[in-house]
Amino acid sequence: IAIAIVYALIQYYCASSIAMVMTGAHEISKKDNPRFYNIVENLSITTGLPMPKVYIVDDKAPNAFATGRDPKHAAVAATTGLLDIMNDKEVTAVMAHEMSHVKNYDIRVSMIVFGLVCVVGLISDLAFRMMFYGSRRRDEESSPVGYILILIVAILSPLCASIAQMAVSRQREYLADASAVNITRYPEG
């Protein structure tokens, strides 16, 4: 449990940096890419959020993401592939979606849900191991019903937790879409 708590704290405080390093993103300023930076800056003003750090990932695949535990520690990134194929209205719509994740604290919610799923998995694994290794009683004294219940719980708990995590993630995506339309006033985008 101590290791899980330390891991959760590291994820909470360092997840943004880890995400940027893993994707190979590099931070930009206004002079590096005025078009993209101005779009993010305008959205920041529109939403009333602090200006996030702006990153570009050198990748031909069109993609974008936001990260950060709260608006003060937020960062947004887009790939070069996305910036190359989309016009300003489309990039604005994509970045409004990403800024909505920041505004709605979706990254924090996702981290909490992930932590809860990990705890459920840890408890399930512990119950499963206790079933096989924890009891030294004779087979005659053990109840097969107890073993069956522990086995069912150990198998179904992580599955249910993962499904709940996916459902929360999907709902946050819908919320970000709706918030982006609210921000841009441009549903077609």
Coordinates of all heavy atoms in Angstrom, one line a residue, residues 7-49:
Y7 N 3.6 5.8 -5.6 CA 3.4 5.8 -7.0 C 2.3 6.8 -7.4 O 2.4 7.5 -8.4 CB 3.0 4.3 -7.5 CG 2.7 4.2 -8.9 CD1 3.7 4.3 -9.9 CD2 1.4 4.0 -9.4 CE1 3.4 4.2 -11.2 CE2 1.1 3.9 -10.7 CZ 2.1 4.0 -11.6 OH 1.8 3.9 -13.0
A8 N 1.2 6.8 -6.7 CA 0.1 7.7 -6.9 C 0.5 9.2 -6.8 O 0.2 10.0 -7.6 CB -1.1 7.4 -6.0
L9 N 1.3 9.5 -5.8 CA 1.8 10.8 -5.6 C 2.8 11.2 -6.8 O 2.7 12.4 -7.2 CB 2.5 11.0 -4.3 CG 1.6 10.9 -3.1 CD1 2.4 10.9 -1.8 CD2 0.7 12.1 -3.1
I10 N 3.6 10.3 -7.2 CA 4.5 10.6 -8.3 C 3.7 10.9 -9.5 O 3.9 11.8 -10.3 CB 5.5 9.5 -8.5 CG1 6.5 9.4 -7.4 CG2 6.2 9.6 -9.9 CD1 7.4 8.2 -7.4
Q11 N 2.7 10.0 -9.8 CA 1.8 10.2 -10.9 C 1.1 11.6 -10.9 O 0.9 12.3 -11.9 CB 0.8 9.1 -11.1 CG 1.4 7.8 -11.6 CD 1.9 8.0 -13.0 OE1 1.3 8.6 -13.8 NE2 3.0 7.3 -13.3
Y12 N 0.6 11.9 -9.7 CA -0.2 13.2 -9.5 C 0.7 14.4 -9.8 O 0.2 15.3 -10.5 CB -0.7 13.2 -8.1 CG -1.6 14.4 -7.9 CD1 -2.9 14.4 -8.4 CD2 -1.2 15.5 -7.2 CE1 -3.7 15.5 -8.2 CE2 -2.0 16.6 -7.0 CZ -3.3 16.6 -7.5 OH -4.1 17.7 -7.3
Y13 N 1.9 14.4 -9.3 CA 2.8 15.6 -9.5 C 3.6 15.6 -10.7 O 4.1 16.6 -11.2 CB 3.6 15.8 -8.2 CG 2.8 16.3 -7.1 CD1 2.5 15.4 -6.0 CD2 2.3 17.5 -7.0 CE1 1.7 15.8 -5.0 CE2 1.5 18.0 -6.0 CZ 1.3 17.1 -4.9 OH 0.5 17.5 -3.9
C14 N 3.9 14.4 -11.3 CA 4.9 14.3 -12.4 C 4.3 13.8 -13.7 O 5.0 13.7 -14.7 CB 6.0 13.4 -12.0 SG 7.0 14.0 -10.6
A15 N 3.0 13.5 -13.7 CA 2.4 12.9 -14.9 C 2.5 13.8 -16.2 O 2.8 13.3 -17.3 CB 0.9 12.6 -14.7
S16 N 2.4 15.1 -16.0 CA 2.5 16.0 -17.2 C 3.9 15.9 -17.8 O 4.1 15.8 -19.0 CB 2.2 17.4 -16.8 OG 0.9 17.6 -16.4
S17 N 4.9 16.0 -16.9 CA 6.3 15.9 -17.4 C 6.6 14.6 -18.1 O 7.2 14.5 -19.1 CB 7.3 16.1 -16.3 OG 7.0 17.4 -15.7
I18 N 6.1 13.5 -17.4 CA 6.3 12.2 -18.0 C 5.6 12.0 -19.4 O 6.2 11.5 -20.3 CB 5.8 11.1 -17.0 CG1 6.6 11.1 -15.7 CG2 5.8 9.7 -17.7 CD1 6.0 10.3 -14.6
A19 N 4.4 12.6 -19.5 CA 3.7 12.5 -20.8 C 4.4 13.2 -21.9 O 4.6 12.8 -23.0 CB 2.3 13.0 -20.6
M20 N 5.0 14.4 -21.5 CA 5.7 15.2 -22.5 C 7.0 14.5 -22.9 O 7.4 14.5 -24.1 CB 6.0 16.6 -22.0 CG 4.7 17.4 -21.8 SD 3.7 17.5 -23.3 CE 2.2 18.2 -22.7
V21 N 7.7 13.9 -22.0 CA 9.0 13.3 -22.3 C 8.7 12.0 -23.2 O 9.4 11.8 -24.1 CB 9.7 12.9 -21.0 CG1 10.9 11.9 -21.3 CG2 10.2 14.2 -20.3
M22 N 7.6 11.3 -22.8 CA 7.3 10.0 -23.5 C 6.9 10.3 -25.0 O 7.2 9.5 -25.8 CB 6.3 9.2 -22.8 CG 6.8 8.6 -21.5 SD 5.5 7.7 -20.6 CE 5.1 6.4 -21.8
T23 N 6.2 11.4 -25.2 CA 5.8 11.7 -26.6 C 6.8 12.5 -27.4 O 6.7 12.6 -28.6 CB 4.5 12.6 -26.5 OG1 4.8 13.8 -25.8 CG2 3.4 11.8 -25.9
G24 N 7.9 12.9 -26.7 CA 8.9 13.7 -27.4 C 8.5 15.1 -27.7 O 9.0 15.7 -28.7
A25 N 7.6 15.6 -27.0 CA 7.1 17.0 -27.2 C 8.1 18.0 -26.8 O 8.9 17.8 -25.8 CB 5.8 17.2 -26.4
H26 N 8.1 19.1 -27.5 CA 9.0 20.2 -27.1 C 8.1 21.5 -26.9 O 7.3 21.7 -27.7 CB 10.1 20.4 -28.1 CG 9.7 20.6 -29.5 ND1 9.4 19.6 -30.4 CD2 9.6 21.8 -30.2 CE1 9.0 20.1 -31.5 NE2 9.1 21.4 -31.4
E27 N 8.4 22.2 -25.9 CA 7.7 23.4 -25.6 C 8.0 24.5 -26.6 O 9.2 24.6 -27.1 CB 8.0 23.9 -24.2 CG 7.1 25.0 -23.7 CD 7.3 25.4 -22.2 OE1 8.1 24.7 -21.6 OE2 6.7 26.3 -21.8
I28 N 7.0 25.2 -27.0 CA 7.2 26.3 -27.9 C 6.8 27.6 -27.3 O 6.1 27.7 -26.3 CB 6.4 26.1 -29.2 CG1 4.9 26.1 -29.0 CG2 6.8 24.8 -29.9 CD1 4.0 26.3 -30.2
S29 N 7.3 28.7 -27.9 CA 6.9 30.1 -27.6 C 6.2 30.6 -28.8 O 6.0 30.0 -29.8 CB 8.1 30.9 -27.2 OG 9.0 31.0 -28.3
K30 N 5.7 31.9 -28.6 CA 5.0 32.5 -29.7 C 5.8 32.6 -31.0 O 5.2 32.4 -32.1 CB 4.5 33.9 -29.2 CG 3.4 34.5 -30.1 CD 2.9 35.8 -29.4 CE 1.5 36.0 -29.8 NZ 0.9 37.0 -29.0
K31 N 7.0 32.9 -30.9 CA 7.9 33.1 -32.1 C 8.1 31.7 -32.8 O 8.4 31.7 -34.0 CB 9.2 33.8 -31.8 CG 10.1 33.0 -30.9 CD 11.4 33.7 -30.6 CE 12.1 32.9 -29.5 NZ 13.4 32.7 -29.6
D32 N 8.0 30.6 -32.1 CA 8.3 29.3 -32.7 C 7.2 28.9 -33.7 O 7.4 28.4 -34.7 CB 8.5 28.2 -31.7 CG 9.7 28.5 -30.8 OD1 10.7 29.0 -31.3 OD2 9.6 28.2 -29.6
N33 N 5.9 29.1 -33.3 CA 4.8 28.8 -34.1 C 3.6 29.7 -33.7 O 2.7 29.4 -32.9 CB 4.4 27.3 -33.9 CG 3.3 26.8 -34.9 OD1 2.5 27.6 -35.3 ND2 3.4 25.6 -35.2
P34 N 3.7 30.9 -34.3 CA 2.7 32.0 -33.9 C 1.2 31.5 -34.1 O 0.4 31.8 -33.3 CB 3.0 33.2 -34.8 CG 4.3 32.9 -35.4 CD 4.6 31.4 -35.3
R35 N 1.0 30.8 -35.2 CA -0.4 30.4 -35.5 C -1.0 29.5 -34.3 O -2.0 29.8 -33.8 CB -0.4 29.6 -36.8 CG -1.7 28.9 -37.1 CD -1.6 28.0 -38.4 NE -2.8 27.2 -38.6 CZ -2.8 25.9 -38.7 NH1 -1.6 25.2 -38.8 NH2 -3.9 25.3 -38.9
F36 N -0.3 28.4 -34.0 CA -0.7 27.5 -33.0 C -0.8 28.2 -31.6 O -1.7 28.1 -30.8 CB 0.2 26.3 -33.0 CG -0.2 25.2 -31.9 CD1 -1.5 24.8 -31.8 CD2 0.7 24.7 -31.1 CE1 -1.9 23.9 -30.9 CE2 0.4 23.7 -30.2 CZ -0.9 23.3 -30.1
Y37 N 0.3 28.9 -31.3 CA 0.4 29.6 -30.0 C -0.8 30.6 -29.8 O -1.4 30.7 -28.7 CB 1.7 30.3 -29.8 CG 2.0 30.7 -28.4 CD1 2.7 29.8 -27.6 CD2 1.6 31.9 -27.9 CE1 3.0 30.2 -26.2 CE2 1.9 32.3 -26.6 CZ 2.6 31.4 -25.8 OH 2.8 31.8 -24.5
N38 N -1.1 31.4 -30.8 CA -2.2 32.4 -30.8 C -3.5 31.7 -30.6 O -4.4 32.2 -29.9 CB -2.2 33.2 -32.0 CG -1.1 34.3 -32.0 OD1 -0.6 34.7 -31.0 ND2 -0.7 34.7 -33.2
I39 N -3.7 30.6 -31.2 CA -5.0 29.8 -31.0 C -5.2 29.4 -29.6 O -6.2 29.6 -29.0 CB -5.1 28.6 -32.0 CG1 -5.3 29.1 -33.4 CG2 -6.2 27.6 -31.6 CD1 -5.1 28.0 -34.5
V40 N -4.1 28.9 -29.0 CA -4.2 28.4 -27.6 C -4.3 29.7 -26.7 O -5.1 29.7 -25.7 CB -2.9 27.6 -27.2 CG1 -2.9 27.3 -25.7 CG2 -2.9 26.3 -28.0
E41 N -3.6 30.7 -27.0 CA -3.7 32.0 -26.2 C -5.1 32.5 -26.2 O -5.7 32.9 -25.2 CB -2.7 33.0 -26.7 CG -2.5 34.2 -25.8 CD -1.4 35.1 -26.3 OE1 -1.3 35.3 -27.5 OE2 -0.6 35.5 -25.4
N42 N -5.7 32.6 -27.4 CA -7.1 33.1 -27.5 C -8.1 32.2 -26.8 O -9.0 32.8 -26.1 CB -7.5 33.2 -29.0 CG -6.8 34.3 -29.8 OD1 -6.2 35.2 -29.1 ND2 -6.7 34.2 -31.1
L43 N -7.9 30.9 -26.8 CA -8.8 30.0 -26.1 C -8.6 30.2 -24.6 O -9.6 30.1 -23.8 CB -8.6 28.6 -26.5 CG -9.1 28.2 -27.8 CD1 -8.5 26.8 -28.2 CD2 -10.6 28.2 -27.9
S44 N -7.4 30.5 -24.2 CA -7.1 30.7 -22.8 C -7.8 32.0 -22.3 O -8.4 32.0 -21.2 CB -5.6 30.8 -22.5 OG -5.3 31.2 -21.2
I45 N -7.8 33.0 -23.1 CA -8.5 34.2 -22.7 C -10.0 34.0 -22.7 O -10.7 34.4 -21.8 CB -8.1 35.3 -23.7 CG1 -6.6 35.7 -23.5 CG2 -9.0 36.6 -23.6 CD1 -6.1 36.6 -24.7
T46 N -10.5 33.3 -23.7 CA -12.0 33.0 -23.8 C -12.5 32.2 -22.6 O -13.5 32.5 -22.1 CB -12.3 32.3 -25.1 OG1 -11.8 33.0 -26.2 CG2 -13.7 32.0 -25.3
T47 N -11.7 31.2 -22.2 CA -12.2 30.4 -21.1 C -11.9 30.9 -19.7 O -12.4 30.5 -18.8 CB -11.5 29.0 -21.2 OG1 -10.1 29.1 -21.2 CG2 -11.9 28.2 -22.5
G48 N -11.0 31.9 -19.7 CA -10.6 32.5 -18.4 C -9.6 31.7 -17.7 O -9.4 31.8 -16.5
L49 N -9.0 30.7 -18.4 CA -8.0 29.9 -17.7 C -6.6 30.5 -17.9 O -6.3 31.2 -18.8 CB -8.0 28.5 -18.4 CG -9.2 27.6 -18.3 CD1 -9.1 26.4 -19.2 CD2 -9.4 27.2 -16.9

